[in-house]
Amino acid sequence: MRGLMWFRRDLRVADQPALAAALSECDEVVGLFIFDEPLLRSKEFGSACVGFMLHSLDELSGSLAEKHVPFLWRRGIPTEEIVKAARDVRAEAVYWNRDYEPSALERDRIAQKELEKRGVTPRTFRDHVVFEGEEILGSSGDPLQRYGAYKARWWERWRSETPGIVDVPKQAERAATVEPSRALPSSADLGYDRIDPAIPGGERAAIKRLHWFVKGPLRAYGTGRNRPDEDGTSMLSPHFRFGTLSTRTAAHTALGTLRQRGGSSRKDVLAWVDELVWRDFFQQVLFHFPRVATEPFRPKALPAWRKSERLYEAWCAGKTGFPLVDAGMRQLNTTGWMHNRVRMVVASFLVKDLRLDWRLGERYFMQHLLDADLAANNGNWQWCASTGTDAMPGYRIFNPALQAGKFDPEGAYIRQFVPELTKLPTKHIHQPDAMTREAQDQFGCRIGHDYPKPVVDHNQARQEFLAQVRHKK
């Protein structure tokens, strides 16, 4: 039997449920990736994201060749191209791992129906999450809307039904007599700029980074994860987004260190695995409540948004006059990455200092992040905007200067991405606008000329936001 393996958000060969099933059940297997033409035209994702994907696909094609699996790629409307590909290679079954975004669910429903009409068997598997939305529910059978309750159920399920790492056969029984596709398209071919991603794509890079992380930064993750001036996080989220590493493998690897003598503390390990639980939580929120993709989970929590192109453009460009906010946005614009602590600060600043619609920030992040993922990005923005499942109006208003002083105490992160402030001593780096005119001249940084004046007064903005929230109650 010949099977067609449809790769989507699972660009790897290890711990790969659909590929494992295809290689076990079929004599011949053909790999396929479809460049979604409508999605490419929408520019929902940015050049950094596309560059990471292409790097990962290039490595995947080589890994599949070692398994005697020819790799094909198509470009068009996925529901049409998957049917054509199955016909062209004479596949009797098509294998894929499930996706949970609203548009993906509709795509897969149509693809399954069209394949079955033509006598081709669709075979789908759980992979993108540790547990699917319907596997973790409340006692009443309803989806859980609070992270704390979801986390408790997630761990209960892990302990009672630990998902194992999937063993993938070494190779197909015989190589399919199908000519592999020509070289992959370039970023320019797809309509994007070429950007070498700050985090290298591909399965090998993901495994290397995971092993480095658990041997080093994981040991101090509880504190190190909040320091943008240090390499203290895993930076694996782009790999989870494109499936060059499975979250199962990551969880097992991290938890496995607890059995090692002199390994990481239980507190640090669980703090990191809880980030994977958050990821599952946001995926199940999107699955059960697809409306969050375009609207707030709790509309009543919304204040009155301002409309200001000037403020929005200052935020996007990293020219707000708040060094930590500006460093984060410039890091994003130049590398496709931003440290998670800084993401919370810049998101809070957009929503609660500038009082601009959180959906502006959500969209901007999707268009620039390497790890652009609808569920995680939407969930985190709604968390910061206090419109999500666990809305807490009046809280989560980050003071950029205090956050910088606590988590970038020497200003190393700020100096890396805001060169205008490089010469400032530490006592001025977090609030350069507080310098006297003499100090500005001394250090060659005139506020309003070399570096922007703050676009808002944080304390005043905070009070105005709280007043708006109280008015909504």
Side-chain angles (χ1 to χ4, degrees), residues 95-162:
Y95 296 76
W96 70 77
N97 293 307
R98 292 186 284 272
D99 194 352
Y100 311 101
E101 294 183 5
S103 59
L105 289 168
E106 177 63 11
R107 173 200 64 199
D108 292 353
R109 184 191 67 78
I110 295 172
Q112 185 167 340
K113 180 181 178 181
E114 293 301 314
L115 289 168
E116 288 174 340
K117 279 169 57 177
R118 291 161 175 79
V120 180
T121 303
R123 296 270 283 122
T124 72
F125 302 82
R126 176 186 69 188
D127 177 65
H128 190 57
V129 293
V130 178
F131 296 115
E132 293 181 309
E134 294 177 342
E135 292 183 289
I136 298 183
L137 300 169
S139 56
S140 63
D142 296 323
L144 294 164
Q145 300 180 28
R146 298 285 181 178
Y147 173 71
Y150 179 86
K151 172 183 168 181
R153 290 294 180 109
W154 191 98
W155 279 108
E156 286 176 10
R157 182 116 191 183
W158 177 274
R159 287 189 288 268
S160 64
E161 190 182 316
T162 305

Side-chain angles (χ1 to χ4, degrees), residues 28 35 80 89 101 152 156-157 165 180 226 247 281 294 309 313 332 335 339 391 420:
E28 300 175 355
F35 291 98
E80 297 176 0
V89 304
E101 294 183 5
E156 286 176 10
R157 182 116 191 183
I165 294 175
N226 286 313
T247 49
F281 175 67
T294 55
E309 283 296 320
E313 289 174 3
L332 174 63
T335 71
H339 187 278
E420 310 96 292

Side-chain angles (χ1 to χ4, degrees), residues 13 56-67 69 71 204:
V13 298
S56 301
L57 284 168
D58 185 54
E59 181 181 310
L60 175 66
S61 65
S63 299
L64 291 174
E66 294 174 2
K67 291 184 174 294
V69 176
F71 177 72
R204 287 191 293 270

Side-chain angles (χ1 to χ4, degrees), residues 22-220:
L23 290 170
S24 298
E25 298 172 6
C26 303
D27 304 315
E28 300 175 355
V29 177
V30 177
L32 172 71
F33 183 84
I34 301 171
F35 291 98
D36 188 327
E37 186 65 37
L39 185 59
L40 290 171
R41 288 199 302 265
S42 74
K43 299 296 182 180
E44 181 179 340
F45 304 103
S47 296
C49 204
V50 170
F52 186 96
M53 177 183 68
L54 288 172
H55 187 169
S56 301
L57 284 168
D58 185 54
E59 181 181 310
L60 175 66
S61 65
S63 299
L64 291 174
E66 294 174 2
K67 291 184 174 294
H68 296 169
V69 176
F71 177 72
L72 309 178
W73 63 266
R74 300 277 181 110
R75 180 175 177 177
I77 298 173
T79 51
E80 297 176 0
E81 294 300 326
I82 189 62
V83 172
K84 293 177 185 176
R87 178 198 63 203
D88 293 347
V89 304
R90 299 189 302 280
E92 297 172 64
V94 177
Y95 296 76
W96 70 77
N97 293 307
R98 292 186 284 272
D99 194 352
Y100 311 101
E101 294 183 5
S103 59
L105 289 168
E106 177 63 11
R107 173 200 64 199
D108 292 353
R109 184 191 67 78
I110 295 172
Q112 185 167 340
K113 180 181 178 181
E114 293 301 314
L115 289 168
E116 288 174 340
K117 279 169 57 177
R118 291 161 175 79
V120 180
T121 303
R123 296 270 283 122
T124 72
F125 302 82
R126 176 186 69 188
D127 177 65
H128 190 57
V129 293
V130 178
F131 296 115
E132 293 181 309
E134 294 177 342
E135 292 183 289
I136 298 183
L137 300 169
S139 56
S140 63
D142 296 323
L144 294 164
Q145 300 180 28
R146 298 285 181 178
Y147 173 71
Y150 179 86
K151 172 183 168 181
R153 290 294 180 109
W154 191 98
W155 279 108
E156 286 176 10
R157 182 116 191 183
W158 177 274
R159 287 189 288 268
S160 64
E161 190 182 316
T162 305
I165 294 175
V166 178
D167 185 23
V168 179
K170 290 185 177 180
Q171 60 187 37
E173 190 170 313
R174 61 174 178 266
T177 54
V178 173
E179 186 70 21
S181 291
R182 61 190 186 280
L184 286 163
S186 66
S187 293
D189 293 332
L190 298 176
Y192 290 79
D193 295 328
R194 172 172 177 167
I195 295 180
D196 292 325
I199 300 172
E203 185 174 6
R204 287 191 293 270
I207 293 295
K208 182 178 179 181
R209 180 74 186 187
L210 174 64
H211 289 164
W212 170 85
F213 174 70
V214 299
K215 291 177 181 177
L218 181 59
R219 296 169 182 258

Side-chain angles (χ1 to χ4, degrees), residues 32 37 57 64 73 104 170 186 202 208 217 225 235 237 242 253 280 285 291-292 365 369 379 417 468:
L32 172 71
E37 186 65 37
L57 284 168
L64 291 174
W73 63 266
K170 290 185 177 180
S186 66
K208 182 178 179 181
R225 65 176 174 171
M235 296 181 77
S237 54
F242 284 101
T253 302
D280 271 16
V285 169
R291 61 182 174 80
V292 301
F365 270 30
L369 281 171
F417 293 103
Q468 284 276 342

Side-chain angles (χ1 to χ4, degrees), residues 31 38 77 80 97 159 168 187 231 235 239 251 261 271 377 382 392 413 437 459:
I77 298 173
E80 297 176 0
N97 293 307
R159 287 189 288 268
V168 179
S187 293
D231 193 3
M235 296 181 77
H239 293 288
R261 189 172 183 178
N377 189 52
Q382 295 223 37
M392 295 175 64
Y413 175 76
R437 184 57 186 266
N459 291 328

Side-chain angles (χ1 to χ4, degrees), residues 1 28 77 85 107 121 123 126 173 192 201 226 266 268 274 284 320 324 360 373 390 396 405 420 437 440 457 464:
M1 183 172 82
E28 300 175 355
I77 298 173
R107 173 200 64 199
T121 303
R123 296 270 283 122
R126 176 186 69 188
E173 190 170 313
Y192 290 79
N226 286 313
R266 183 175 181 82
D268 288 315
D274 281 349
Q284 69 94 30
T320 67
L324 186 61
L360 293 172
D373 176 273
D390 58 345
R396 300 174 185 149
E420 310 96 292
R437 184 57 186 266
Q440 293 178 38
D457 178 285
E464 290 176 353

